Structures are given as structure tokens and as C-alpha cells.
Amino acid sequence: MSQYDFDLFVIGAGSGGVRASRMAAGFGARVGVAEDLYLGGTCVNVGCVPKKLFAYSAHYSEDFEDAKGFGWKLPEAVFDWPTLVRNKNQEIERLNGIYRNMLKASDVTIIDARAQFIDSHTLQVGDKQVTAERILIATGGWPHIPDFPGNEHVISSNEVFHLESLPKRTLVVGGGYIAIEFASIFHGMQREVSLLYRGEMFLRGFDSSLREHMAATIKQKGIDLRFNANVKDIQRQADGSLQVNLTDGTALETDLVLYATGRKPNLRGLGLENTAVTLDDKGFVAVNGDYETQDPSIYAIGDVTDTLQLTPVALAEGMALARRLFRPDDYVPVDYRDIATAVFCIPNIATLGLTEEQAREAGYGLKVYESRFRPMRNTLAGRGEESLMKMIVDKVSDRVLGVHMIGPDAGEIIQGLAVALKAGAIKAMFDATLGIHPTAAEEFVTMRTPTRTD
């Protein structure tokens, strides 16, 4: 018999933690998991899932407008926020139950409490102590709100899903995908929206063509987009509204301030000081390529480490670690190249592989293909909004290095192309592929003339 209660104990029942737990248990390990908040982690509860449900809801305002051009006469649509929140809550509760049942079916011991390290093999979990040969930290990230006068008046993406009512005016602060998505969501729900970013252009790390195109699209929709400014302080007014004073000397009034300026590893109260685990210079748990920390018995995956903060990445890491520890003959390292991702704003953004800037920095000679066009659905609707599709090709080998898109169903389209890039597709293969007509996706197989060539 082992001297420990568990072969593996997982702190955090989010996407990566649940996957690692179930896989390890399936390989015969004795597994326990501790979660003090909600099963499914950020993605299921205050991230991907509810966000996309809200994004679906926000899309309907444009759908109702567009329907008129196709012959539909509709009564005035009225949006009811409490109905959306109630139905969202029911769906999240259903998913929480599914996660619990999956863990139970895998014979994983679930403890609904926060875990804290006593030493490298011992945890205080609620009112009990447990020991484990190996311990996995999978506690994810937590929204970060900077310190400034009046920051007690703002909310984060955690709280936004539980608002009792949706204010008329909202200021979204940030320039990443969460900020862009919620600016689109609130605007789609027919609220006045301002989007504030401290830099010259939002969506840092995305292809420059996408960033510029999205900025123009957001402005066209009527969102108040402000660059090169930050919040100086926030003051509550007598009528309950908020006066937000900015660093550029201007001010605006709003009813809600949503901060989406990044997330930090959720490590509070874990007791890492009782272990040999170290943090890197960004505050992430330091791990090597096998997810090992400086403490030989402790591992970390997902958003607590300096990796791509995406649910599929955490899932892949959880699976890889379980195999490495308990089924090493089947171990396959995670391939972090060409990982597709999407931003569920309106319209959607999806990106895969290298941006044009990254490809040039890597020394490739390029052929760049770009296409801007009005989607077919927008013609009868009278909507002037354009889609953007872009392909980055290595001029020497003809290999497709990256594909990027802004437009309806961008995520669905780029997901399919991810398989092609993972298989090493060259541009000639795209050229030889017949498109499905009429679709937007066929544009990726009909691009013939590069817009730029090195």
C-alpha cells in the first residue's frame, strides 16, 4: 500500500484539472480534486460558455434589423436582461452537474473546499488533511484590477454575468479579447458603449490588418472607441452615475465600468511558501516542458503557468500530464504551434498561425493575400460591414504560415483550416481545392493574386 492517500491530488476543477483527474483515474491512479468555487472553472462559469451565450443574444439585434431586407416585417423587439441571466444560470448549473457526474463516474474523490499546502505532499483541504504522492496546481487565472482612486466602483468579467440589471451606459476598459467581446455584447444589447485602451491600437499580438479592420468596424457600429488614454480616477455622482476622469484630460459619464485589463494566476492562499515551488518574473508558476515545478512532487498546468490562456490548451496539458505520469508509453507532448483561437465579438475574429509581423520577424520571404468584401447576407440587409480574410505564405516553400479572418462564423471557418495547417498545407493545395459556392469560406481557396510580395 502507498504511504499516501492519493497518487495524484489536483487543486482546481477547471478544464485542465478535470481532464487531468479523469485521465489519471482512468489509468488506475487514485485521484482527488479540490474546488472551493465552481466545477468547470472559469470557462464554464464566468468565461467561454456564458460569454458566448451572451454573444448569441447580442447578435439578435442585428438579425432583427437585417430581416427586414429579406421581407420579414417584425414588431419592435424588446430585450429582457433578467431572462437571459436566468436562462444562462440554468445552463451553467446543468454543466456543473455534468462535470460532477463525470468526476464521480471516473472514481475521482471530490472535495468542495479550498486546498492549502502544508508541505510538498500534504494539503489542508477544508477541515481535513490529505496526502498525495504528486500534487497538481490547476487553479487558473483571476481578473486583475489595477489600483487607482475609485477602483471600488468597477466590476470585472466575473461579476458582469450576474448583474441584476444592465445599465444604459457602459465603459469597457482594456484592449484584449475580453474587452472587445463585451463592448460588442453591450452594444448588441442596445446600450451606449465606450471602449478605452491605453495604447495606440488594441488586440496586441494579433495581425495588424485584423487590428485596424476591427477598429474601423467598431467605430462604424457606433461604439465610442478611445485610444492612448487610461483611467485616472472614478467618482460616484449624486444620481448614482460614475464620472470617469482620464489621463488625457477628458472625462466621461457612465453607469457601469467593466475592467478587462488582464488576469493573474489564482494563487492566493495556496501556501506555496511551504513548498519549493517558485514563480517566474511575471508571477506565473515556473514549470519546465513537462509541467514540473521546482518541487519534484508538484506540477502545474493551464493559466497558472505562462502558456496560452485557452481552454483547449489546458485540456491538452491535463491529458499530456496524466499520460506522462501514469501511462508514459502513450505520452505525447503538447504541440503549441498553429493553435487557432477566436474572439467572439461582432463580427467574429479568428486567427491561426503566424501574423504577418511574426513571419517577417522570423525571416520568411512572404506572399500575402488579403481580401475585403461585403458578405452576401449583408447585401439585401443594407449593411455595409465588410469581412476580412488574410493568408500568409512562405514564398520559398509555398507553405501557408497563417490565416486570419474577421466576419460571420470566423471561428467555425478557421477551425477547419487549422487541420490543413497542422498537416503542413501549401498554397497550391488551397488553389487546387474547389470551394463551396456561395459561401464566405470559399474565399480562402480562390485567392490567386497576392496583395504584397517580398
Side-chain angles (χ1 to χ4, degrees):
M1 293 289 293
S2 171
Q3 67 184 91
Y4 302 106
D5 300 324
F6 297 97
D7 300 314
L8 175 69
F9 197 92
V10 180
I11 307 175
S15 300
V18 169
R19 177 62 61 88
S21 299
R22 293 180 59 217
M23 293 289 293
F27 296 148
R30 295 169 304 144
V31 181
V33 61
E35 176 57 64
D36 68 329
L37 199 51
Y38 28 54
L39 296 179
T42 295
C43 179
V44 169
N45 295 277
V46 288
C48 328
V49 173
K51 171 196 68 182
K52 193 163 186 184
L53 294 175
F54 279 17
Y56 280 136
S57 175
H59 268 280
Y60 279 105
S61 61
E62 290 189 355
D63 292 342
F64 293 142
E65 292 176 5
D66 293 349
K68 299 173 184 177
F70 291 87
W72 290 94
K73 295 182 179 180
L74 303 174
E76 182 181 359
V78 178
F79 175 68
D80 185 61
W81 172 262
T83 297
L84 173 62
V85 173
R86 183 175 62 252
N87 292 342
K88 179 268 299 181
N89 289 343
Q90 291 175 353
E91 175 62 9
I92 300 307
E93 288 173 8
R94 185 184 73 85
L95 295 174
N96 291 154
I98 288 175
Y99 271 77
R100 186 172 295 275
N101 290 336
M102 287 193 302
L103 288 168
K104 287 183 176 179
S106 300
D107 291 327
V108 175
T109 299
I110 307 170
I111 304 178
D112 297 302
R114 183 72 169 174
Q116 183 179 33
F117 283 98
I118 295 175
D119 59 41
S120 299
H121 293 280
T122 310
L123 294 165
Q124 184 72 39
V125 188
D127 58 0
K128 65 176 67 176
Q129 285 190 8
V130 300
T131 61
E133 182 178 2
R134 301 177 179 94
I135 298 173
L136 171 62
I137 303 170
T139 48
W142 198 258
H144 171 66
I145 296 175
D147 186 22
F148 61 85
N151 72 346
E152 69 272 15
H153 300 306
V154 313
I155 67 169
S156 74
S157 57
N158 280 6
E159 295 81 41
V160 72
F161 294 107
H162 303 285
L163 291 171
E164 292 184 4
S165 61
L166 191 60
K168 179 181 178 182
R169 300 169 299 178
T170 297
L171 168 65
V172 181
V173 182
Y177 68 94
I178 296 175
I180 310 301
E181 287 169 338
F182 274 105
S184 290
I185 287 169
F186 290 141
H187 181 265
M189 293 171 178
Q190 301 178 328
R191 266 49 182 181
E192 297 176 19
V193 179
S194 296
L195 178 59
L196 178 70
Y197 180 55
R198 63 184 180 180
E200 294 185 0
M201 180 63 69
F202 56 23
L203 292 171
R204 183 165 52 91
F206 284 72
D207 189 275
S208 60
S209 296
L210 269 67
R211 300 170 74 188
E212 294 164 3
H213 188 91
M214 197 65 205
T217 301
I218 281 180
K219 290 179 181 178
Q220 183 184 30
K221 286 179 176 295
I223 294 174
D224 175 26
L225 182 56
R226 303 187 182 206
F227 291 137
N228 294 313
N230 207 348
V231 174
K232 180 181 178 183
D233 62 69
I234 299 177
Q235 300 171 2
R236 176 75 70 182
Q237 304 300 295
D239 62 357
S241 65
L242 298 172
Q243 178 173 313
V244 183
N245 298 308
L246 305 181
T247 54
D248 64 0
T250 64
L252 57 84
E253 276 199 4
T254 188
D255 304 305
L256 177 70
V257 178
L258 169 62
Y259 252 76
T261 51
R263 300 170 67 85
K264 290 191 173 182
N266 184 12
L267 301 173
R268 67 192 187 283
L270 274 186
L272 293 182
E273 66 275 9
N274 299 322
T275 72
V277 173
T278 60
L279 306 183
D280 65 18
D281 56 2
K282 298 179 183 178
F284 293 98
V285 176
V287 294
N288 62 17
D290 292 323
Y291 315 111
E292 298 171 329
T293 71
Q294 289 295 313
D295 195 311
S297 62
I298 301 174
Y299 303 79
I301 62 170
D303 292 357
V304 294
T305 66
D306 190 10
T307 186
L308 291 172
Q309 296 191 358
L310 299 169
T311 295
V313 171
L315 290 168
E317 290 176 347
M319 183 183 303
L321 179 62
R323 284 176 172 158
R324 180 179 173 275
L325 295 179
F326 302 107
R327 191 68 67 84
D329 289 345
D330 294 336
Y331 172 57
V332 178
V334 177
D335 184 356
Y336 293 94
R337 297 171 300 174
D338 297 333
I339 296 176
T341 188
V343 184
F344 293 106
C345 47
I346 305 173
N348 289 178
I349 302 172
T351 183
L352 166 65
L354 298 180
T355 66
E356 182 176 349
E357 295 74 26
Q358 290 169 340
R360 293 190 188 283
E361 186 176 340
Y364 289 102
L366 300 179
K367 289 184 178 180
V368 179
Y369 299 80
E370 266 190 52
S371 178
R372 288 176 170 83
F373 59 93
R374 192 159 61 139
M376 186 177 183
R377 175 174 169 169
N378 288 355
T379 56
L380 294 191
R383 188 172 298 279
E385 184 176 291
E386 290 189 334
S387 291
L388 165 68
M389 293 184 176
K390 184 172 183 177
M391 181 179 292
I392 316 296
V393 179
D394 176 14
K395 186 171 64 174
V396 176
S397 68
D398 200 40
R399 186 165 64 91
V400 179
L401 302 174
V403 287
H404 311 280
M405 177 179 174
I406 293 176
D409 299 316
E412 306 292 342
I413 292 171
I414 296 299
Q415 176 66 83
L417 297 184
V419 179
L421 263 65
K422 186 65 72 175
I426 60 175
K427 180 64 167 63
M429 294 176 180
F430 280 77
D431 295 341
T433 301
L434 299 182
I436 301 173
H437 185 74
T439 64
E442 70 177 319
E443 192 74 14
F444 277 117
V445 298
T446 57
M447 293 177 171
R448 294 291 184 268
T449 305
T451 54
R452 289 184 294 284
T453 302
D454 291 352

